Coordinates of all heavy atoms in Angstrom, one line a residue:
M1 N 246.9 235.4 132.7 CA 245.6 235.3 133.5 C 244.7 236.5 133.2 O 245.1 237.6 133.1 CB 246.0 235.4 135.0 CG 244.8 235.1 135.9 SD 245.4 235.1 137.7 CE 244.7 233.5 138.2
S2 N 243.4 236.1 133.0 CA 242.4 237.1 132.6 C 242.0 238.0 133.8 O 241.9 237.6 134.9 CB 241.2 236.4 132.1 OG 240.2 237.3 131.8
D3 N 241.7 239.3 133.5 CA 241.2 240.2 134.5 C 239.7 240.1 134.6 O 239.0 240.7 135.5 CB 241.6 241.6 134.2 CG 243.0 241.9 134.5 OD1 243.7 241.1 135.3 OD2 243.6 242.8 133.9
E4 N 239.1 239.3 133.7 CA 237.6 239.2 133.7 C 237.1 238.4 134.9 O 237.6 237.3 135.2 CB 237.1 238.4 132.4 CG 235.6 238.4 132.3 CD 235.2 237.7 131.0 OE1 236.0 237.6 130.1 OE2 234.1 237.2 131.0
K5 N 236.1 238.9 135.6 CA 235.6 238.3 136.8 C 234.5 237.3 136.4 O 233.8 237.5 135.4 CB 235.0 239.3 137.7 CG 236.1 240.2 138.3 CD 235.5 241.3 139.3 CE 236.5 242.1 140.0 NZ 237.4 242.8 139.2
N6 N 234.4 236.2 137.1 CA 233.3 235.2 136.9 C 232.1 235.5 137.7 O 231.2 234.6 137.9 CB 233.8 233.8 137.0 CG 234.3 233.6 138.5 OD1 234.3 234.5 139.3 ND2 234.7 232.3 138.8
Y7 N 231.9 236.7 138.2 CA 230.8 237.1 138.9 C 230.3 238.5 138.6 O 231.1 239.3 138.0 CB 231.0 237.0 140.5 CG 232.1 237.8 141.0 CD1 232.0 239.1 141.3 CD2 233.4 237.2 141.1 CE1 233.1 239.8 141.8 CE2 234.5 237.9 141.6 CZ 234.3 239.2 141.9 OH 235.5 239.9 142.3
N8 N 229.1 238.8 138.9 CA 228.6 240.2 138.7 C 228.7 240.9 140.1 O 228.6 240.2 141.1 CB 227.1 240.2 138.3 CG 226.9 239.5 137.0 OD1 227.6 239.9 136.0 ND2 226.0 238.6 136.9
V9 N 228.9 242.2 140.0 CA 228.8 243.0 141.3 C 227.6 243.9 141.3 O 227.5 244.7 140.3 CB 230.1 243.9 141.4 CG1 230.0 244.7 142.7 CG2 231.4 242.9 141.5
L10 N 226.7 243.7 142.3 CA 225.5 244.5 142.4 C 225.8 245.6 143.4 O 226.1 245.2 144.6 CB 224.3 243.7 142.8 CG 224.1 242.4 141.9 CD1 223.0 241.6 142.5 CD2 223.7 242.8 140.5
A11 N 225.8 246.9 143.0 CA 226.1 247.9 143.9 C 224.8 248.3 144.7 O 223.7 248.1 144.2 CB 226.5 249.1 143.2
T12 N 225.0 248.7 146.0 CA 223.9 249.1 146.8 C 224.1 250.6 147.2 O 225.2 251.0 147.2 CB 223.9 248.2 148.1 OG1 225.0 248.4 148.8 CG2 223.6 246.8 147.8
E13 N 223.0 251.2 147.5 CA 223.1 252.6 147.8 C 223.7 252.9 149.1 O 224.6 253.7 149.3 CB 221.7 253.2 147.7 CG 221.7 254.7 147.8 CD 220.3 255.3 147.5 OE1 219.7 254.8 146.6 OE2 220.0 256.2 148.2
N14 N 223.3 252.1 150.1 CA 223.8 252.3 151.5 C 224.4 251.1 152.2 O 224.3 250.9 153.3 CB 222.7 252.9 152.4 CG 222.2 254.2 151.9 OD1 222.9 255.1 151.6 ND2 220.9 254.3 151.7
G15 N 224.9 250.2 151.4 CA 225.5 249.0 152.0 C 226.6 248.4 151.3 O 227.3 249.2 150.5
V16 N 227.0 247.2 151.6 CA 228.1 246.6 150.9 C 227.7 246.1 149.6 O 226.5 245.8 149.3 CB 228.6 245.4 151.9 CG1 229.1 245.9 153.2 CG2 227.6 244.3 152.0
P17 N 228.7 245.8 148.7 CA 228.4 245.3 147.4 C 227.9 243.8 147.5 O 228.1 243.1 148.5 CB 229.7 245.4 146.6 CG 230.7 245.5 147.6 CD 230.1 246.1 148.8
I18 N 227.3 243.3 146.4 CA 226.9 241.9 146.3 C 227.7 241.3 145.2 O 227.6 241.8 144.1 CB 225.4 241.8 146.1 CG1 224.6 242.5 147.2 CG2 224.9 240.3 145.9 CD1 223.2 242.8 146.9
K19 N 228.4 240.2 145.5 CA 229.1 239.5 144.4 C 228.1 238.3 144.1 O 227.9 237.4 144.9 CB 230.4 239.0 145.0 CG 231.5 240.0 145.2 CD 232.8 239.5 145.5 CE 233.8 240.6 145.7 NZ 235.1 240.1 146.1
A20 N 227.6 238.3 142.9 CA 226.7 237.3 142.4 C 227.3 236.5 141.3 O 227.6 237.0 140.2 CB 225.4 238.0 142.0
W21 N 227.5 235.2 141.6 CA 228.0 234.3 140.6 C 226.7 233.8 139.7 O 226.4 232.6 139.8 CB 228.7 233.1 141.3 CG 230.1 233.5 141.6 CD1 231.2 233.1 140.9 CD2 230.5 234.1 142.8 NE1 232.3 233.7 141.6 CE2 231.9 234.3 142.8 CE3 229.9 234.7 143.9 CZ2 232.6 234.9 143.7 CZ3 230.6 235.4 144.8 CH2 232.0 235.5 144.7
T22 N 226.2 234.7 139.1 CA 224.9 234.5 138.2 C 225.1 234.8 136.8 O 224.1 235.0 136.1 CB 223.8 235.3 138.8 OG1 224.2 236.7 138.9 CG2 223.4 234.9 140.3
K23 N 226.3 234.9 136.3 CA 226.5 235.2 134.9 C 225.9 234.0 134.1 O 226.3 232.8 134.3 CB 228.0 235.3 134.5 CG 228.6 236.7 134.9 CD 229.9 236.9 134.3 CE 230.4 238.3 134.7 NZ 231.7 238.6 134.1
G24 N 225.0 234.3 133.2 CA 224.4 233.3 132.3 C 223.2 232.6 132.9 O 222.6 231.8 132.2
V25 N 222.8 233.0 134.1 CA 221.7 232.4 134.8 C 220.8 233.5 135.3 O 221.2 234.5 135.7 CB 222.0 231.4 136.0 CG1 222.8 230.2 135.4 CG2 222.8 232.1 137.0
P26 N 219.4 233.2 135.3 CA 218.6 234.3 135.8 C 218.7 234.6 137.3 O 218.9 233.6 138.1 CB 217.2 233.8 135.4 CG 217.3 232.3 135.2 CD 218.8 232.1 134.9
L27 N 218.4 235.8 137.7 CA 218.4 236.1 139.1 C 217.0 236.7 139.3 O 216.6 237.7 138.8 CB 219.5 237.2 139.4 CG 219.5 237.7 140.9 CD1 219.6 236.6 141.9 CD2 220.6 238.8 141.0
E28 N 216.2 236.0 140.2 CA 214.9 236.3 140.4 C 214.8 237.7 141.1 O 215.6 238.1 141.9 CB 214.2 235.4 141.5 CG 214.1 234.0 141.1 CD 213.7 233.1 142.2 OE1 213.8 233.4 143.4 OE2 213.2 232.0 141.9
D29 N 213.8 238.5 140.7 CA 213.6 239.9 141.2 C 213.4 239.9 142.7 O 214.0 240.6 143.4 CB 212.4 240.6 140.6 CG 212.6 241.0 139.2 OD1 213.8 241.1 138.8 OD2 211.7 241.2 138.4
Q30 N 212.7 238.9 143.2 CA 212.5 238.8 144.7 C 213.8 238.5 145.4 O 214.0 239.0 146.5 CB 211.4 237.7 145.1 CG 210.0 238.1 144.7 CD 209.1 237.0 145.0 OE1 209.2 235.8 144.7 NE2 208.1 237.3 145.8
A31 N 214.6 237.6 144.9 CA 215.9 237.2 145.5 C 216.8 238.4 145.4 O 217.5 238.7 146.4 CB 216.5 236.0 144.7
C32 N 216.8 239.2 144.3 CA 217.6 240.3 144.3 C 217.2 241.4 145.3 O 218.1 242.0 146.0 CB 217.5 241.0 142.9 SG 218.7 242.3 142.5
K33 N 215.9 241.6 145.5 CA 215.5 242.5 146.5 C 216.0 242.0 148.0 O 216.4 242.9 148.7 CB 213.9 242.6 146.5 CG 213.5 243.4 145.3 CD 211.9 243.5 145.3 CE 211.5 244.2 144.0 NZ 210.0 244.1 143.9
Q34 N 215.9 240.7 148.2 CA 216.3 240.2 149.5 C 217.8 240.5 149.7 O 218.3 240.9 150.7 CB 216.0 238.8 149.6 CG 214.6 238.4 150.0 CD 214.4 236.9 150.2 OE1 215.0 236.1 149.5 NE2 213.6 236.7 151.2
L35 N 218.6 240.2 148.6 CA 220.0 240.5 148.7 C 220.4 242.0 149.0 O 221.2 242.3 149.8 CB 220.7 240.0 147.4 CG 220.7 238.4 147.2 CD1 221.2 238.2 145.7 CD2 221.6 237.8 148.1
L36 N 219.7 242.8 148.3 CA 219.9 244.3 148.5 C 219.6 244.7 149.9 O 220.2 245.5 150.5 CB 219.1 245.1 147.4 CG 219.5 245.0 146.0 CD1 218.5 245.5 145.1 CD2 220.9 245.6 145.8
N37 N 218.5 244.1 150.5 CA 218.1 244.4 151.9 C 219.2 243.9 152.8 O 219.6 244.7 153.8 CB 216.7 243.8 152.2 CG 215.6 244.5 151.6 OD1 215.7 245.7 151.2 ND2 214.5 243.9 151.4
V38 N 219.6 242.8 152.6 CA 220.6 242.2 153.5 C 221.9 242.9 153.5 O 222.6 243.3 154.5 CB 220.9 240.7 153.2 CG1 222.2 240.2 153.9 CG2 219.7 239.8 153.6
A39 N 222.3 243.4 152.3 CA 223.6 244.1 152.0 C 223.6 245.4 152.8 O 224.6 246.0 153.0 CB 223.8 244.3 150.6
Q40 N 222.4 246.0 153.2 CA 222.3 247.2 153.9 C 222.4 247.1 155.4 O 222.4 248.1 156.2 CB 221.1 248.0 153.5 CG 221.2 248.3 152.0 CD 220.0 249.1 151.5 OE1 219.6 250.1 152.2 NE2 219.3 248.7 150.5
L41 N 222.4 245.9 155.9 CA 222.5 245.7 157.4 C 223.8 246.1 157.9 O 224.9 245.9 157.3 CB 222.2 244.2 157.7 CG 220.9 243.6 157.4 CD1 220.8 242.1 157.6 CD2 219.8 244.3 158.2
P42 N 223.8 246.8 159.1 CA 225.0 247.4 159.6 C 226.2 246.4 160.0 O 227.3 246.8 160.1 CB 224.6 248.2 160.8 CG 223.3 247.5 161.2 CD 222.7 247.0 160.0
F43 N 225.8 245.2 160.2 CA 226.9 244.2 160.7 C 227.4 243.3 159.6 O 228.2 242.3 159.8 CB 226.3 243.3 161.8 CG 224.9 242.8 161.5 CD1 224.9 241.5 160.7 CD2 223.8 243.3 161.9 CE1 223.7 240.9 160.4 CE2 222.6 242.7 161.6 CZ 222.5 241.6 160.8
I44 N 227.1 243.6 158.3 CA 227.7 242.8 157.2 C 229.1 243.2 157.0 O 229.5 244.3 157.0 CB 226.8 243.1 155.9 CG1 225.4 242.7 156.2 CG2 227.3 242.3 154.8 CD1 225.1 241.2 156.6
F45 N 229.9 242.2 156.7 CA 231.4 242.4 156.5 C 231.8 242.3 155.1 O 231.6 241.2 154.4 CB 232.1 241.3 157.3 CG 233.6 241.5 157.2 CD1 234.2 242.6 157.8 CD2 234.4 240.6 156.6 CE1 235.6 242.7 157.8 CE2 235.7 240.7 156.5 CZ 236.4 241.7 157.1
K46 N 232.2 243.3 154.5 CA 232.8 243.4 153.1 C 231.8 243.2 152.0 O 231.6 244.1 151.1 CB 234.0 242.5 152.9 CG 235.2 242.9 153.6 CD 236.4 242.2 153.1 CE 237.6 242.6 153.9 NZ 238.8 242.1 153.4
W47 N 231.1 242.2 151.8 CA 230.1 241.9 150.7 C 229.2 240.8 151.1 O 229.5 239.9 152.0 CB 230.8 241.7 149.4 CG 231.8 240.5 149.4 CD1 231.4 239.2 149.3 CD2 233.2 240.5 149.4 NE1 232.5 238.4 149.3 CE2 233.6 239.2 149.4 CE3 234.1 241.5 149.5 CZ2 234.9 238.9 149.5 CZ3 235.4 241.2 149.6 CH2 235.8 239.8 149.5
V48 N 228.2 240.6 150.3 CA 227.2 239.5 150.3 C 227.5 238.7 149.1 O 227.8 239.2 148.1 CB 225.7 239.9 150.4 CG1 224.8 238.7 150.2 CG2 225.5 240.7 151.7
A49 N 227.5 237.3 149.2 CA 227.8 236.5 148.1 C 226.5 235.8 147.7 O 225.7 235.3 148.5 CB 228.9 235.5 148.4
A50 N 226.3 235.6 146.4 CA 225.1 234.9 145.9 C 225.6 233.8 144.9 O 226.4 234.1 144.0 CB 224.1 235.8 145.2
M51 N 225.2 232.6 145.1 CA 225.7 231.5 144.2 C 224.8 231.4 143.0 O 223.7 232.0 142.9 CB 225.6 230.2 145.0 CG 226.5 230.2 146.3 SD 228.2 230.5 146.0 CE 228.4 232.1 146.7
P52 N 225.2 230.6 142.0 CA 224.3 230.5 140.7 C 222.9 230.0 141.0 O 222.0 230.4 140.2 CB 225.1 229.5 139.9 CG 226.5 229.5 140.4 CD 226.4 229.8 141.9
D53 N 222.6 229.2 142.0 CA 221.3 228.7 142.2 C 220.5 229.6 143.2 O 219.5 229.2 143.8 CB 221.4 227.3 142.8 CG 222.1 227.2 144.1 OD1 222.8 228.1 144.5 OD2 222.0 226.1 144.8
V54 N 221.0 230.8 143.5 CA 220.3 231.6 144.4 C 218.8 231.8 144.1 O 218.5 231.9 142.9 CB 221.0 233.0 144.5 CG1 220.9 233.8 143.2 CG2 220.6 233.8 145.7
H55 N 217.9 231.8 145.1 CA 216.5 232.1 144.9 C 215.9 232.6 146.2 O 216.5 232.5 147.3 CB 215.8 230.8 144.4 CG 216.0 229.6 145.3 ND1 217.1 228.8 145.3 CD2 215.1 229.1 146.2 CE1 216.9 227.8 146.1 NE2 215.7 228.0 146.7
W56 N 214.7 233.2 146.0 CA 214.0 233.7 147.1 C 213.8 232.7 148.2 O 213.5 231.5 147.9 CB 212.7 234.3 146.6 CG 211.8 234.9 147.6 CD1 211.9 236.2 148.1 CD2 210.8 234.3 148.4 NE1 210.9 236.4 149.1 CE2 210.3 235.2 149.3 CE3 210.3 233.0 148.4 CZ2 209.2 234.9 150.1 CZ3 209.3 232.6 149.2 CH2 208.7 233.6 150.1
G57 N 213.9 233.2 149.4 CA 213.6 232.3 150.6 C 212.8 233.0 151.6 O 212.7 234.2 151.6
I58 N 212.2 232.2 152.5 CA 211.5 232.9 153.7 C 212.5 233.4 154.6 O 213.3 232.7 155.2 CB 210.6 231.8 154.3 CG1 209.6 231.3 153.3 CG2 209.9 232.3 155.5 CD1 208.8 230.1 153.8
G59 N 212.5 234.7 154.7 CA 213.4 235.4 155.7 C 214.7 235.8 155.1 O 215.3 236.8 155.5
A60 N 215.3 234.9 154.3 CA 216.6 235.2 153.7 C 216.7 234.4 152.4 O 216.1 233.5 152.1 CB 217.7 234.8 154.7
T61 N 217.7 234.9 151.6 CA 217.8 234.4 150.3 C 218.6 233.0 150.3 O 219.7 232.9 150.9 CB 218.6 235.3 149.4 OG1 218.1 236.6 149.6 CG2 218.5 235.0 147.9
V62 N 218.0 232.0 149.8 CA 218.7 230.7 149.7 C 219.7 230.7 148.7 O 219.5 231.2 147.6 CB 217.6 229.6 149.4 CG1 218.3 228.2 149.2 CG2 216.5 229.5 150.4
G63 N 220.9 230.1 149.0 CA 222.0 230.2 148.0 C 222.9 231.4 148.2 O 223.6 231.8 147.2
S64 N 222.8 232.0 149.3 CA 223.7 233.2 149.6 C 224.5 232.9 150.8 O 224.2 232.1 151.6 CB 222.8 234.4 149.8 OG 222.0 234.3 151.0
V65 N 225.6 233.8 150.9 CA 226.4 233.7 152.1 C 226.5 235.1 152.7 O 226.7 236.1 151.9 CB 227.9 233.3 151.7 CG1 228.8 233.3 153.0 CG2 227.9 231.9 151.1
I66 N 226.2 235.2 153.9 CA 226.1 236.5 154.6 C 227.2 236.6 155.6 O 227.1 236.1 156.7 CB 224.7 236.6 155.2 CG1 223.6 236.5 154.2 CG2 224.6 238.0 155.9 CD1 222.2 236.3 154.8
P67 N 228.3 237.2 155.2 CA 229.4 237.3 156.2 C 229.1 238.5 157.1 O 228.8 239.6 156.7 CB 230.7 237.6 155.3 CG 230.1 238.3 154.1 CD 228.7 237.8 153.9
T68 N 229.3 238.2 158.4 CA 229.1 239.3 159.4 C 230.4 239.7 160.0 O 231.4 238.9 159.8 CB 228.1 238.8 160.5 OG1 228.7 237.8 161.3 CG2 226.8 238.4 159.9
K69 N 230.5 240.6 160.7 CA 231.7 241.1 161.4 C 232.2 240.1 162.4 O 233.3 240.0 162.8 CB 231.6 242.5 161.9 CG 231.4 243.5 160.9 CD 231.3 244.9 161.4 CE 231.1 245.8 160.1 NZ 230.8 247.2 160.5
A70 N 231.2 239.3 162.9 CA 231.6 238.2 163.9 C 231.7 236.8 163.4 O 232.5 236.0 163.9 CB 230.6 238.3 165.1
R71 N 230.9 236.5 162.3 CA 230.8 235.1 161.9 C 230.2 235.1 160.5 O 229.3 235.9 160.2 CB 230.0 234.3 162.9 CG 230.0 232.8 162.6 CD 229.3 232.1 163.7 NE 229.2 230.7 163.3 CZ 228.9 229.7 164.1 NH1 228.6 230.0 165.3 NH2 228.9 228.5 163.7
S72 N 230.5 234.0 159.6 CA 229.9 233.8 158.4 C 228.8 232.8 158.5 O 229.0 231.8 159.2 CB 230.9 233.3 157.4 OG 231.2 234.2 156.4
F73 N 227.7 233.1 157.8 CA 226.6 232.1 157.8 C 226.2 231.7 156.4 O 225.5 232.5 155.7 CB 225.4 232.8 158.4 CG 225.7 233.0 159.9 CD1 226.0 234.3 160.3 CD2 225.5 232.0 160.8 CE1 226.2 234.6 161.6 CE2 225.7 232.3 162.2 CZ 226.1 233.6 162.6
P74 N 226.6 230.6 155.9 CA 226.1 230.1 154.6 C 224.6 229.7 154.9 O 224.3 229.0 155.9 CB 226.9 228.9 154.2 CG 227.6 228.5 155.4 CD 227.6 229.7 156.4
L75 N 223.7 230.2 154.0 CA 222.3 230.0 154.3 C 221.8 228.5 154.5 O 221.0 228.3 155.3 CB 221.4 230.6 153.3 CG 220.5 231.7 153.8 CD1 220.0 231.5 155.2 CD2 221.0 233.0 153.5
Q76 N 222.4 227.6 153.9 CA 222.0 226.2 154.0 C 222.3 225.7 155.4 O 221.5 225.1 156.0 CB 222.8 225.3 153.0 CG 222.5 223.8 153.1 CD 221.1 223.5 152.8 OE1 220.5 224.2 151.9 NE2 220.5 222.5 153.5
W77 N 223.4 226.2 156.0 CA 223.8 225.8 157.4 C 222.8 226.4 158.3 O 222.3 225.7 159.3 CB 225.2 226.2 157.7 CG 225.6 225.9 159.1 CD1 226.2 224.7 159.4 CD2 225.4 226.7 160.3 NE1 226.3 224.7 160.8 CE2 225.9 225.9 161.3 CE3 224.9 228.0 160.5 CZ2 225.9 226.4 162.6 CZ3 225.0 228.4 161.8 CH2 225.4 227.7 162.8
V78 N 222.4 227.6 158.2 CA 221.5 228.3 159.1 C 220.1 227.6 159.0 O 219.5 227.3 160.0 CB 221.3 229.8 158.7 CG1 220.2 230.4 159.5 CG2 222.6 230.5 158.9
W79 N 219.6 227.3 157.8 CA 218.3 226.6 157.6 C 218.4 225.2 158.3 O 217.5 224.8 159.0 CB 218.0 226.5 156.2 CG 216.7 225.8 156.0 CD1 216.5 224.6 155.5 CD2 215.4 226.2 156.4 NE1 215.2 224.2 155.5 CE2 214.5 225.2 156.0 CE3 214.8 227.4 156.9 CZ2 213.0 225.3 156.3 CZ3 213.5 227.5 157.1 CH2 212.6 226.5 156.8
T80 N 219.4 224.4 158.0 CA 219.5 223.1 158.5 C 219.6 223.1 160.0 O 219.0 222.3 160.7 CB 220.8 222.4 158.0 OG1 220.7 222.4 156.5 CG2 220.9 221.0 158.4
S81 N 220.4 224.0 160.6 CA 220.5 224.1 162.0 C 219.2 224.6 162.7 O 218.9 224.0 163.8 CB 221.6 225.1 162.4 OG 222.8 224.6 161.9
A82 N 218.5 225.5 162.1 CA 217.3 225.9 162.7 C 216.2 224.9 162.6 O 215.3 224.8 163.4 CB 216.8 227.2 161.9
A83 N 216.2 224.1 161.5 CA 215.2 223.0 161.4 C 215.5 221.8 162.3 O 214.5 221.0 162.5 CB 215.2 222.5 159.9
A84 N 216.6 221.7 162.8 CA 217.0 220.5 163.6 C 216.4 220.6 165.0 O 216.0 221.6 165.5 CB 218.5 220.3 163.7

């Protein structure tokens, strides 16, 4: 079994790491800034995840998963629930 990871780890200065499954695909600068901001929130649990199709969104990055100490929120679910 290979030790090579299929994701990139983006380190933050004052927050949790970001696991980004973006190897071989571009990561928008705006989306990266949003992910870095979210990773610094005090209620984030362990890390933020970014999927290969991650992109900038209004308020939060689309294609990310933001695990909190109380509950996990995949962004698609949050947007769909808020729009209903």
Side-chain angles (χ1 to χ4, degrees):
M1 186 175 230
S2 173
D3 285 339
E4 184 178 340
K5 294 179 172 61
N6 60 354
Y7 56 87
N8 298 310
V9 177
L10 308 174
T12 61
E13 192 172 315
N14 296 311
V16 299
I18 300 162
K19 291 185 178 182
W21 279 263
T22 55
K23 283 191 174 183
V25 295
L27 176 57
E28 298 172 338
D29 288 339
Q30 287 180 307
C32 188
K33 287 178 187 175
Q34 281 185 321
L35 292 168
L36 291 168
N37 286 339
V38 167
Q40 294 183 53
L41 295 172
F43 50 82
I44 302 300
F45 183 69
K46 290 195 179 185
W47 59 76
V48 171
M51 302 303 112
D53 63 342
V54 67
H55 58 278
W56 178 86
I58 297 172
T61 315
V62 178
S64 65
V65 178
I66 303 168
T68 65
K69 294 179 180 174
R71 185 171 178 172
S72 242
F73 295 98
L75 240 332
Q76 180 62 36
W77 180 86
V78 172
W79 176 253
T80 303
S81 297

